[in-house]
Amino acid sequence: MQDLAGHLSRLAAEMALDLEDEECHPQLGLSGREIEVLRLVSVGRTNPEIGEELFISRRTVAAHVSNILRKLDCANRGEAAATGYAAGIC
């Protein structure tokens, strides 16, 4: 598997995100549970794996992921992970 940090750095560069920006709001408008889910997404966990780790259903995980993508205005999990990484929460 490709180095995740390197992949996220390249993705952040493609999205013109400044990974050193100290003014990023650490919560990004996400709930505590959404931050937990985003952290697991950012390390490559699948919805079933996230559900098992957090003791929630796959459907609940999917809802959290959808909310994260909407709130962060991201098209996919990789972009959301890069945004979380850039903000220092992943």
Side-chain angles (χ1 to χ4, degrees):
M1 179 183 238
Q2 186 177 358
D3 175 58
L4 182 60
H7 176 70
L8 292 176
S9 293
R10 285 188 294 282
L11 183 58
E14 289 174 20
M15 295 173 53
L17 294 174
D18 181 1
L19 297 180
E20 303 302 320
D21 183 8
E22 297 177 9
E23 294 187 22
C24 285
H25 188 276
Q27 299 299 316
L28 300 171
L30 302 177
S31 71
R33 181 61 100 180
E34 288 166 344
I35 289 171
E36 288 178 297
V37 171
L38 179 57
R39 286 181 175 146
L40 293 170
V41 165
S42 73
V43 295
R45 296 284 191 340
T46 64
N47 285 4
E49 291 169 338
I50 293 169
E52 187 173 309
E53 187 162 334
L54 298 179
F55 303 103
I56 57 178
S57 74
R58 293 177 186 180
R59 192 169 178 169
T60 300
V61 174
H64 285 309
V65 171
S66 293
N67 290 337
I68 291 165
L69 296 177
R70 178 182 48 78
K71 287 180 178 182
L72 299 182
D73 193 28
C74 293
N76 57 53
R77 295 164 80 98
E79 285 183 20
T83 301
Y85 180 76
I89 62 171
C90 294

